[in-house]
Amino acid sequence: EVYTAMVDLEDLLDTEHVLIDTVENYIKAEEQKIDLLKRYVAIYQRQQKKAREDAQSYLSNPINAYTLVKRLTADWTQVEALVNTNMNADTLANISYVKQNMKFPTDEDLNGAAVALMRLQDTYRLDTSSLARGELNGVKYSAELSAADCFELGRQSYNNGDYYHTQLWMEEAGARFKREANETVDQSDILEYLAFSIYKQGNVALALDLTNKLLELTPTHSRALGNKVYYQDQLKGQEKETVKRKGDDESENIPINGPNYDDPFGKDLYEALCRGEVSTPVEVQAKLKCRYLSRDNPFLKLAPFKVEEAHLEPDLFIFHDVMSDKEIETIKRLAQPRFRRATVQNSQTGALETAQYRISKSAWLKNEEHKHIADVARRVEDMTGLSMETAEELQVVNYGIGGHYEPHFDFARKEETNAFQNLGTGNRIATVLFYMSDVVQGGATVFPMARTALWPKKGTAAFWFNLFPSGDGDKRTRHAACPVLAGSKWVSNKWIHEREQEFRRPCTTERPPEHLTA
Ligand SMILES: O=C(O)CCC(=O)C(=O)O
Ligand SMILES: [Fe+2]
């Protein structure tokens, strides 16, 4: 699961470095061997030539007679031994040592990385050709993908049953194949995947065309021959259906749905917020303020918090400069060796499990572990005015390529099993989310119901109440971590619980409107 966080990818670079060295040494050894063999052969050839010019006189020379025998005995043994030396055994042993002792990605990782790329492509509406050129939103970050690279992405999508992306990437593989001087992939293979993914999406006629093209290239391709018959049969069936439905022409003009940014629970609004295309409504923005906060605390009087309102009802706050670079360094250093793939709670069974909708690595840090961790907890108390008595440990999170956390609530809903029950501290009343890195592109925290996106800035923190004073969950706090498009995203969470807040945030019996609670 190395693809889930950027820190693991850095280890992969080390692995690759050692492998490059190993293979370079192997090449050198093989080259030395070949050079030596060439020298032997040159000597043999020279003597052969001389002997052939006049065999009798050559052999009548006792020195020549002797060296011929010697060449075929002592010398030849060396040649044979040289041919027989196995450089690959050592090299293979080295490689398997690296695989066992260094971080090495699995096929599952490759699949995960491919899925992550598809997620980025969808969320940020990246077109396939630009991506293949190594561009993200017009910025060129990396080398181009070859036809074979595109083919592999298509193949991964195909194996996941994702025919939409199979088509996109096989088309790109085909386009690149035509432009590439040396072929990196087989054109028949591209056509076969392309035809089938197009068939799976319902375009049988095009699938048949492509299969015919494939058969022009490889007339004996047995699967293509089979598919051709199959597609032809399907088309005949479809014709009958069309005849049956003749006159029923309303069904032909089905309007294609445009993006729907009105549904706060829909994917369109979420993704538009991630792209920065939707911003906090102007009437809300007009009321937002920035202020200094010192909560009657003498220390804070000297250095009050700089608080910015990002949204009202639900209230979302940004605290500036609340975590120092030193603290961030400590937190990253302590968390890194403990990183595990982040889990989510199954709302039916209460069990913790990994899920595609939350991809990151995380670890928990206790206040006792380092002064900096305790300092941060103390600061959260000052920032929020809430007691840290029942707060959870600091959760540290790193998101890698395409790492994300789809829309969710931080609090446990009424119908959920087990959530926080065993803690005996009540529900998660509030969240403080520290940004411990800037993110090059993507990675916003978005609140679809508030139509608000918070962009990571190293050292700042977001703060909001998840619960109404009545203890009911505030539906409007539903939020998500958008996929990271470029860079690495580090955050840490402090989740504050209900118990011990009775005097700091008294609960009320007044209930909020039902449509706002969850
Ligand atoms: O990383 C983010 O921006 C949000 C993380 C989050 O919502 C969570 O961990 O609960
Ligand atoms: Fe969250």
Side-chain angles (χ1 to χ4, degrees):
E1 292 173 335
V2 286
Y3 67 89
T4 49
M6 213 42 108
V7 285
D8 292 323
L9 293 177
E10 286 165 14
D11 291 341
L12 290 190
L13 269 187
D14 293 342
T15 305
E16 192 180 50
H17 180 84
V18 174
L19 286 179
I20 289 172
D21 273 358
T22 309
V23 176
E24 268 187 335
N25 288 337
Y26 170 66
I27 292 171
K28 253 184 236 151
E30 287 283 14
E31 275 172 353
Q32 277 169 3
K33 171 177 150 180
I34 296 289
D35 282 349
L36 211 55
L37 283 174
K38 276 185 184 158
R39 246 179 288 153
Y40 274 116
V41 169
I43 295 169
Y44 279 81
Q45 269 170 344
R46 224 181 302 129
Q47 295 300 325
Q48 264 283 322
K49 200 169 162 241
K50 245 201 230 160
R52 291 268 168 206
E53 279 162 12
D54 186 349
Q56 279 199 336
S57 81
Y58 180 85
L59 291 174
S60 61
N61 179 332
I63 303 288
N64 288 346
Y66 167 76
T67 51
L68 172 62
V69 174
K70 182 191 161 257
R71 284 201 302 278
L72 293 178
T73 51
D75 290 358
W76 189 251
T77 316
Q78 284 192 32
V79 172
E80 244 176 77
L82 208 51
V83 171
N84 198 25
T85 33
N86 219 347
M87 315 291 187
N88 25 6
D90 278 356
T91 308
L92 285 175
N94 281 348
I95 291 175
S96 81
Y97 178 85
V98 171
K99 280 187 165 178
Q100 271 161 29
N101 295 285
M102 294 188 76
K103 205 156 269 168
F104 208 82
T106 60
D107 288 346
E108 192 206 348
D109 288 319
L110 174 60
N111 189 252
V115 169
L117 210 52
M118 302 304 125
R119 183 183 308 125
L120 290 176
Q121 183 172 19
D122 291 347
T123 309
Y124 296 105
R125 300 226 178 118
L126 308 172
D127 92 279
T128 315
S129 302
S130 319
L131 254 184
R133 281 197 301 274
E135 284 174 20
L136 299 177
N137 284 338
V139 186
K140 181 151 173 93
Y141 286 98
S142 52
E144 304 224 351
L145 299 180
S146 65
D149 293 331
C150 297
F151 178 81
E152 182 57 29
L153 280 169
R155 207 179 61 89
Q156 293 286 339
S157 303
Y158 178 85
N159 290 343
N160 295 333
D162 172 359
Y163 302 114
Y164 168 72
H165 286 109
T166 309
Q167 181 185 344
L168 290 181
W169 285 96
M170 288 301 170
E171 280 169 354
E172 187 61 28
R176 295 203 153 238
F177 173 86
K178 288 201 187 108
R179 279 180 266 140
E180 271 174 9
N182 34 3
E183 295 181 8
T184 53
V185 63
D186 187 55
Q187 200 186 5
S188 306
D189 289 345
I190 298 178
L191 281 170
E192 189 183 357
Y193 276 102
L194 193 53
F196 195 64
S197 61
I198 283 174
Y199 163 70
K200 278 288 191 182
Q201 294 174 90
N203 193 342
V204 191
L206 183 54
L208 179 59
D209 280 354
L210 289 162
T211 307
N212 284 329
K213 228 189 232 166
L214 164 55
L215 284 167
E216 273 168 37
L217 281 174
T218 324
T220 54
H221 198 291
S222 59
R223 271 192 311 273
L225 288 167
N227 287 346
K228 180 176 173 162
V229 176
Y230 180 75
Y231 294 149
Q232 281 169 332
D233 287 351
Q234 293 274 310
L235 275 177
K236 274 186 210 136
Q238 275 187 4
E239 262 166 36
K240 270 185 228 137
E241 260 176 60
T242 330
V243 174
K244 248 190 279 161
R245 282 200 269 110
K246 241 196 159 106
D248 177 19
D249 38 17
E250 280 103 303
S251 65
E252 276 163 28
N253 288 323
I254 301 164
I256 295 163
N257 280 330
N260 174 8
Y261 296 165
D262 294 330
D263 174 10
F265 286 87
K267 214 172 153 71
D268 289 344
L269 174 60
Y270 162 53
E271 292 184 346
L273 279 162
C274 288
R275 291 193 295 274
E277 287 172 9
V278 170
S279 42
T280 316
V282 271
E283 60 279 15
V284 178
Q285 275 186 44
K287 290 187 214 138
L288 301 177
K289 291 190 195 76
C290 289
R291 61 198 152 88
Y292 287 103
L293 177 74
S294 56
R295 292 198 189 282
D296 293 329
N297 174 326
F299 292 106
L300 293 180
K301 283 254 154 51
L302 295 171
F305 292 117
K306 285 169 278 185
V307 191
E308 179 189 335
E309 293 167 348
H311 195 275
L312 299 170
E313 297 180 73
D315 297 356
L316 307 173
F317 303 102
I318 302 287
F319 282 72
H320 290 274
D321 306 315
V322 279
M323 198 181 251
S324 71
D325 287 354
K326 274 231 163 59
E327 287 166 339
I328 289 173
E329 238 170 78
T330 306
I331 293 169
K332 286 181 178 175
R333 178 169 50 79
L334 294 178
Q336 211 140 311
R338 262 183 260 172
F339 269 151
R340 293 281 172 276
R341 169 87 187 262
T343 53
V344 288
Q345 193 157 34
N346 181 312
S347 63
Q348 255 92 57
T349 63
L352 292 176
E353 50 196 40
T354 62
Q356 272 301 319
Y357 67 82
R358 184 182 191 190
I359 295 185
S360 59
K361 295 241 165 172
S362 61
W364 297 87
L365 300 179
K366 292 186 184 14
N367 288 346
E368 301 79 59
E369 291 183 52
H370 197 286
K371 180 179 176 295
H372 287 163
I373 314 291
D375 288 349
V376 166
R378 179 60 217 250
R379 198 165 309 132
V380 170
E381 179 162 354
D382 290 339
M383 286 157 61
T384 62
L386 296 171
S387 165
M388 289 299 108
E389 208 61 41
T390 56
E392 293 173 51
E393 292 168 4
L394 188 70
Q395 187 190 45
V396 186
V397 186
N398 178 230
Y399 299 89
I401 338 166
H404 72 147
Y405 191 176
E406 285 181 14
H408 64 276
F409 299 106
D410 281 356
F411 60 86
R413 277 165 300 161
K414 293 171 204 111
E415 69 270 19
E416 279 174 329
T417 319
N418 279 337
F420 312 127
Q421 219 160 344
N422 47 354
L423 297 175
T425 53
N427 213 337
R428 280 177 177 162
I429 192 173
T431 298
V432 173
L433 174 68
F434 288 94
Y435 294 106
M436 305 203 300
S437 68
D438 298 320
V439 181
V440 182
Q441 283 198 55
T445 310
V446 301
F447 297 75
M449 279 188 98
R451 296 176 91 87
T452 293
L454 308 179
W455 296 90
K457 183 165 174 287
K458 192 178 181 189
T460 66
F463 166 57
W464 67 89
F465 280 101
N466 294 303
L467 307 179
F468 286 104
S470 63
D472 291 300
D474 188 342
K475 220 180 196 169
R476 302 167 303 177
T477 63
R478 193 164 155 277
H479 61 281
C482 297
V484 172
L485 180 53
S488 170
K489 178 183 174 188
W490 286 83
V491 299
S492 52
N493 283 301
K494 199 76 185 166
W495 280 302
I496 304 165
H497 281 244
E498 287 178 288
R499 233 190 58 205
E500 300 295 327
Q501 318 301 350
E502 294 82 356
F503 298 106
R504 305 195 187 211
R505 196 206 196 205
C507 48
T508 58
T509 48
E510 191 194 323
R511 301 290 296 272
E514 200 159 326
H515 72 277
L516 297 183
T517 68

